């Protein structure tokens, strides 16, 4: 408990953003935002009432009437300004993010930076939202397309990237001419709210960007609201599937990026030092709380002899608060996440996997109350074990053995998830075979976390995604717009009459 709490002073409340104003919620339901390294209560977040959700949507609907007519250059310039403001406030944003989420300060800057790249992309909306034109498709007839905004769109975000993922959503939705209602993670909404303040400072008009906080009830209200046209969701498979089904039944366009189990294949011809560094970074960075974390390594043939060196490398990583210089692995986001991850490690042992490195209950001087788990490695992992079948979302790497690349590819393809995967090899032929035959949407070749930059779209697949179009990149332009085709003929004095045409064909 911090001094303020001991003195009976309530932590500051997180505000709703409605019609350009940061307002106090009238709810009676609140939840604490807690520093996961210290358990200090940083703020209280409201669970918005149904009336507040309706108010946010009705303001967004009203604002759409003018925002949709705003020239594309005006929209673009707001995001040019926003990217400048984010750069100027990078250190403050990262510090806020680390305090509420736990990841290290350099990684928090990375979180903000990957979102900043989408803001830069939104600033080039003039080139992205271009229609097509086919000249003279029939006599004197042209057909062209208009990519028109949908109306009020909504975003629902997870706790693990509280800067990047909101920035995947509202900049592209708003740049394409929509208005937006954002529902951030209730676990760490502070950096998201700071980004929204900067967005208003950059010139986003009242009602164009709104924020409501909450959990299940607010999410269900968003899925059901008749004035919301599209929903972008990022989070767990269970909640994402619910959102997809509920909102689709209500006629909305929905995209859901969901849970994962990302496998990396290690071939014996790989550069050993680079590969072990990459595996340790991708498995244990952000305490394994990345949807693209490598959580399973499939060691092929002689690469199975590298386990002791991998364990030694993992042991060198420093576990501490994200604010401490040199920290590699910060705390898990909550006490609940800590007990879940510890419980899964216990089940891994009970179900017969070999615990090569036990990261439970590390000594972290000065942060004895933090939710820490150090790097943990299991070998001999098989499907059917809880540590393989479930997304652990902690710093736990499962090792699997395979005799050949074919066996490794078949093993990965048999897993239901399809978010990310990687291969480590010096063989171009093996890498090419992998890229062709692996049934996973985002493929790394000697790149452990192959999240594409916004020139492309995030392309998770199979059980990791519902909906056809990904967030950001070219695909999201189609997600946030309705394609209208216009087929036009203009008569002038020289046009000769063609009589009545009773056929379907254009003449
Ligand atoms: P979560 O599903 O618990 O929460 C996501 C959002 O849904 C939050 O805003 C939360 O308030 C809301 N929510 C939670 N429970 C709900 C319920 N019962 N009904 C309706 N809404 C509910 O996810 P999380 O724990 O915040 O994030 C971690 C998960 O997100 C992991 O599974 C991770 O793989 C996934 N993730 C996926 C991607 C991707 O791009 N595929 C990216 C980041 C995170």
């Amino acid at each position: 408990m911090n001094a303020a709490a001991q003195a009976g002073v309530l932590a500051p409340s997180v505000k709703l953003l409605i019609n350009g104003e940061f307002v106090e919620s009238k709810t009676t339901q609140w939840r604490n935002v807690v520093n996961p390294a210290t358990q200090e209560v940083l703020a209280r977040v409201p669970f918005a009432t149904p009336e507040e959700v309706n108010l946010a949507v009705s303001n967004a609907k009203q604002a759409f009437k003018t925002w949709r007519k705003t020239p594309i250059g005006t929209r673009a310039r707001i995001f040019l300004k926003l990217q400048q403001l984010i750069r100027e406030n990078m250190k403050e944003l990262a510090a806020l993010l680390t305090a509420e989420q736990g990841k290290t300060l350099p990684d928090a800057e990375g979180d903000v930076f990957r979102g900043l790249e989408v803001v830069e992309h939104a600033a080039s909306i003039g080139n992205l939202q271009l229609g097509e034109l086919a000249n003279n498709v029939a006599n004197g007839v042209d057909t062209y397309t208009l990519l028109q905004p949908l109306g009020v769109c909504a975003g629902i975000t997870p706790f693990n990237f509280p800067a990047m993922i909101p920035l995947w959503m509202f900049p592209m939705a708003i740049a394409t001419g929509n208005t937006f209602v954002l529902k951030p993670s209730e676990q760490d909404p502070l950096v998201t709210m700071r980004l929204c303040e900067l967005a208003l400072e950059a010139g986003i008009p009242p009602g164009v960007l709104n924020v409501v906080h909450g959990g299940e009830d607010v999410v269900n209200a968003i899925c059901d609201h008749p004035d919301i046209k599209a929903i972008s969701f990022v989070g767990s498979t269970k909640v994402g599937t619910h959102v997809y089904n509920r909102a689709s039944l209500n006629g909305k366009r929905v995209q859901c990026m969901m849970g994962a189990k990302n496998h990396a294949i290690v071939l014996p011809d790989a550069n050993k030092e680079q590969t072990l560094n990459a595996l340790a970074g991708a498995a244990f960075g952000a305490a394994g709380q990345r949807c693209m974390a490598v959580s399973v390594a499939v060691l092929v043939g002689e690469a199975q002899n590298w386990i002791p060196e991998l364990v030694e490398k993992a042991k060198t990583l420093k576990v501490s608060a994200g604010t401490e210089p040199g920290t590699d692995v910060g705390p898990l986001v909550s006490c609940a996440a800590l007990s879940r991850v510890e419980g899964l490690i216990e089940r891994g042992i009970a179900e017969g996997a070999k615990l090569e490195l036990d990261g439970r209950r590390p000594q972290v001087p000065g942060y004895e109350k933090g939710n820490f788990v150090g790097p943990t490695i299991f070998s001999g992992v098989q499907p059917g074990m809880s540590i393989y079948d479930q997304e652990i979302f902690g710093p736990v790497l499962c090792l699997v053995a395979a005799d050949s690349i074919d066996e490794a590819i078949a093993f990965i393809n048999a897993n239901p998830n399809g978010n990310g995967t990687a291969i480590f090899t010096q063989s171009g032929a093996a890498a090419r075979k992998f890229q062709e035959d692996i049934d996973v949407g985002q493929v790394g070749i000697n790149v452990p976390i192959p999240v594409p930059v916004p020139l492309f779209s995030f392309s998770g697949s199979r059980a990791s995604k519902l909906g056809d179009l990904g967030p950001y990149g070219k695909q999201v332009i189609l997600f946030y717009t309705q394609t209208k085709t216009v087929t036009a003929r203009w008569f002038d004095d020289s046009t000769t009459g063609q009589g009545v045409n009773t056929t379907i064909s254009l003449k």
Side-chain angles (χ1 to χ4, degrees):
M1 196 182 287
N2 61 12
Q6 273 170 346
V9 180
L10 284 177
S13 59
V14 183
K15 303 293 185 273
L16 308 173
L17 172 57
I18 298 179
N19 202 26
E21 302 285 337
F22 290 94
V23 294
E24 182 86 7
S25 172
K26 294 189 172 58
T27 187
T28 53
Q29 219 191 324
W30 296 81
R31 173 194 163 117
N32 287 338
V33 179
V34 177
N35 181 324
T38 63
Q39 310 305 336
E40 180 192 358
V41 177
L42 302 171
R44 297 177 308 135
V45 64
F47 282 52
T49 64
E51 294 74 28
E52 288 165 342
V53 176
N54 287 340
L55 194 61
V57 177
S58 64
N59 276 288
K61 189 180 178 188
Q62 182 66 21
F64 180 63
K65 290 180 187 162
T66 45
W67 182 247
R68 69 187 289 266
K69 306 273 188 198
T70 306
I72 206 158
T74 307
R75 285 183 258 144
R77 279 188 286 278
I78 288 176
F79 293 100
L80 276 176
K81 179 71 180 169
L82 180 56
Q83 68 81 28
Q84 180 202 342
L85 291 173
I86 291 174
R87 280 177 200 281
E88 287 171 5
N89 290 278
M90 179 61 92
K91 295 283 176 211
E92 181 212 337
L93 290 163
L96 206 50
L97 199 163
T98 294
E100 62 179 339
Q101 203 276 349
K103 64 179 69 175
T104 66
L105 284 170
D107 198 30
E109 281 199 34
D111 188 330
V112 178
F113 184 77
R114 295 300 309 248
L116 173 66
E117 290 181 308
V118 184
V119 178
E120 292 168 345
H121 191 65
S124 56
I125 192 65
N127 291 322
L128 295 169
Q129 203 174 349
L130 292 176
E132 296 174 313
L133 185 144
N135 185 216
N136 218 27
V137 293
N139 282 328
V141 176
D142 300 327
T143 297
Y144 51 94
T145 58
L146 311 178
L147 303 184
Q148 295 197 309
L150 301 175
V152 182
C153 300
I156 300 161
T157 57
F159 79 83
N160 64 331
F161 282 97
M164 177 184 82
I165 292 177
L167 291 175
W168 280 4
M169 296 180 182
F170 76 79
M172 294 309 297
I174 291 174
T176 43
N178 300 282
T179 56
F180 206 73
V181 177
L182 178 66
K183 207 300 284 172
S185 170
E186 68 278 30
Q187 298 194 66
D188 48 12
L190 301 180
V191 70
T192 314
M193 293 312 288
R194 184 71 188 114
L195 287 165
C196 291
E197 282 176 14
L198 295 178
L200 296 197
E201 195 180 329
I204 290 187
V208 172
L209 173 62
N210 304 273
V211 183
V212 290
H213 301 287
E216 185 174 356
D217 291 347
V218 170
V219 168
N220 286 340
I222 289 171
C223 293
D224 294 345
H225 201 297
D227 289 334
I228 293 177
K229 303 297 177 201
I231 298 178
S232 181
F233 170 92
V234 180
S236 63
T237 303
K238 180 166 166 274
V239 178
T241 305
H242 164 75
V243 166
Y244 188 83
N245 291 337
R246 188 161 177 152
S248 299
L249 273 176
N250 284 316
K252 299 184 198 318
R253 192 177 285 183
V254 196
Q255 57 172 206
C256 296
M257 309 304 128
M258 305 186 292
K261 199 79 183 174
N262 306 307
H263 299 62
I265 295 181
V266 181
L267 295 187
D269 71 352
N271 179 313
K272 191 200 281 187
E273 180 64 12
Q274 300 293 349
T275 301
L276 296 180
N277 284 340
L279 283 182
F284 308 126
Q289 298 172 115
R290 292 182 181 131
C291 67
M292 289 287 281
V294 170
S295 49
V296 185
V298 186
L299 307 177
V300 177
E302 296 291 307
Q304 289 156 35
N305 299 329
W306 299 1
I307 295 176
E309 285 160 274
L310 180 61
V311 169
E312 286 313 307
K313 204 162 272 294
K315 280 183 183 167
T316 66
L317 298 181
K318 178 177 170 181
V319 181
S320 189
T323 46
E324 290 295 324
T327 296
D328 298 297
V329 181
L332 294 167
V333 71
S334 64
C335 298
L338 174 65
S339 49
R340 200 182 145 271
V341 170
E342 287 180 338
L344 277 164
I345 294 172
E346 275 159 33
R347 282 174 74 177
I349 299 165
E351 290 171 1
K354 183 177 175 204
L355 188 58
E356 302 274 359
L357 178 63
D358 186 355
R360 287 173 295 173
R361 303 281 156 182
Q363 296 298 309
V364 186
Y367 298 94
E368 285 73 14
K369 293 182 186 162
N371 311 321
F372 295 101
V373 176
T376 298
I377 299 178
F378 279 106
S379 64
V381 176
Q382 291 170 12
M385 294 178 177
S386 307
I387 52 169
Y388 183 76
D389 292 347
Q390 293 186 33
E391 183 184 31
I392 301 174
F393 229 54
V396 182
L397 177 63
C398 296
L399 302 179
V400 172
D403 289 335
S404 65
I405 182 174
D406 293 297
E407 188 186 329
I409 289 174
F411 183 83
I412 298 172
N413 287 349
N415 187 283
N417 295 286
N419 216 32
T421 188
I423 190 166
F424 292 89
T425 180
Q426 299 283 56
S427 160
R432 191 166 191 286
K433 177 188 183 62
F434 179 71
Q435 95 187 8
E436 296 297 312
D437 293 350
I438 203 73
D439 191 5
V440 175
Q442 301 178 103
V443 177
I445 296 173
N446 298 313
V447 172
I449 303 187
V451 177
V453 295
L455 296 171
F456 302 87
S457 300
F458 192 91
S459 53
S461 67
R462 295 199 280 136
S464 299
K465 181 183 181 187
L466 284 168
D468 298 326
L469 301 168
Y472 69 79
K474 289 181 188 146
Q475 293 183 7
V476 90
I477 304 294
L478 293 177
F479 181 76
Y480 283 124
T481 59
Q482 178 64 43
T483 304
K484 191 183 271 179
T485 57
V486 180
T487 300
R489 169 183 279 150
W490 294 95
F491 303 111
D492 62 25
D493 292 345
S494 65
T495 311
T496 52
Q498 300 198 346
V500 177
N501 175 18
T502 56
T503 73
I504 183 73
S505 52
L506 288 166
K507 288 190 175 163

